[in-house]
Amino acid sequence: MKKILIVEDEVELANNLSEILSNLDYKVASVVDNAPSALEFLEHNEVDLVLMDILINGDLDGIDLAYKIREGYDLPIVFSTAYSGTEYLERISSEIHEGYLLKPFSLESLKTAVFFGLKRHEEKKGKIRKSKGSLKIMDKGYLVPVPYTEVVYLKADGLYTKVYTKAKSYLVRDILKSFEDKLPEDQFIRVHKSYLVNISYIGSFNAKKINLGETSIPIRRGLYKELMEKLNV
């Protein structure tokens, strides 16, 4: 059963939230109304998610508290607030929360926000684990673990794939599609039927080609816009 810490200064609302979450098969670990109490509770207890109002008692508001939680804990945070003004939204980075619930909210919106808050956090952790992995490549009778971060690009060569790293290249008896399934999708992109590229090494590009240092790779038609979004350009 997932445990939730509620940070809410409206007593009646906090009680309602606690009852609703219990009925949704979550365990309410505790209810607090200020940042120091929340941090003290987290120091001695484990929870799976923090459901937090932006305006809480004390000198630190919910956004300040979220940043402090992120410094010491790997926890999903879902904000709940009656305020949608830009003065709050501009302070909220996507890196410090997994959901945003606008008051007054319905049972379904609360259920959805908590469910997807937990789910998004698991997906983030999965991506981090995957991006820290490595390709296992056989080279001259030895198994070589090549970190994903060292792979610059891969090129299809019939039933083989050439893997180009910063230091050297490897010829592997496996098709490019197989590598595409193994590599983290947020780090690599199929830019052409014959090429898979690590976006970290893209120096420049246009609608026809991508430059990876001294290497130029053709880009498939229609990918330019997708690549712009992937690189947050």
Side-chain angles (χ1 to χ4, degrees), residues 198-211:
N198 186 336
I199 62 174
S200 301
Y201 291 96
I202 296 177
S204 60
F205 65 97
N206 57 27
K208 294 184 178 180
K209 66 179 181 179
I210 289 173
N211 295 316

Side-chain angles (χ1 to χ4, degrees), residues 20-37:
I20 292 170
L21 291 170
S22 297
N23 290 334
L24 292 172
D25 292 329
Y26 294 108
K27 178 179 176 58
V28 177
S30 184
V31 178
V32 297
D33 65 359
N34 62 82
S37 296

Side-chain angles (χ1 to χ4, degrees), residues 7 41 60 64 86 96 102 107 110 119 139 143 150-151 157 160 191-192 203 205 211 216 221:
V7 186
F41 183 84
L60 297 180
D64 296 323
T86 55
I96 65 161
L102 193 61
L107 170 63
L110 173 62
K119 182 178 176 63
D139 182 49
L143 185 65
E150 295 291 314
V151 178
D157 186 10
Y160 290 81
V191 298
H192 183 274
F205 65 97
N211 295 316
S216 294
R221 190 173 182 179

Side-chain angles (χ1 to χ4, degrees), residues 42-92:
L42 291 173
E43 187 176 350
H44 302 288
N45 300 272
E46 291 186 2
V47 302
D48 298 293
L49 179 139
V50 180
L51 178 61
M52 181 158 55
D53 192 1
I54 287 180
L55 294 183
I56 55 178
N57 291 332
D59 295 331
L60 297 180
D61 65 15
I63 301 173
D64 296 323
L65 175 57
Y67 279 103
K68 286 196 169 293
I69 290 174
R70 276 290 193 262
E71 288 175 5
Y73 305 94
D74 184 21
L75 289 173
I77 296 170
V78 173
F79 285 118
S80 64
T81 183
Y83 299 91
S84 58
T86 55
E87 69 271 23
Y88 294 109
L89 296 178
E90 286 175 353
R91 290 175 56 208
I92 301 176

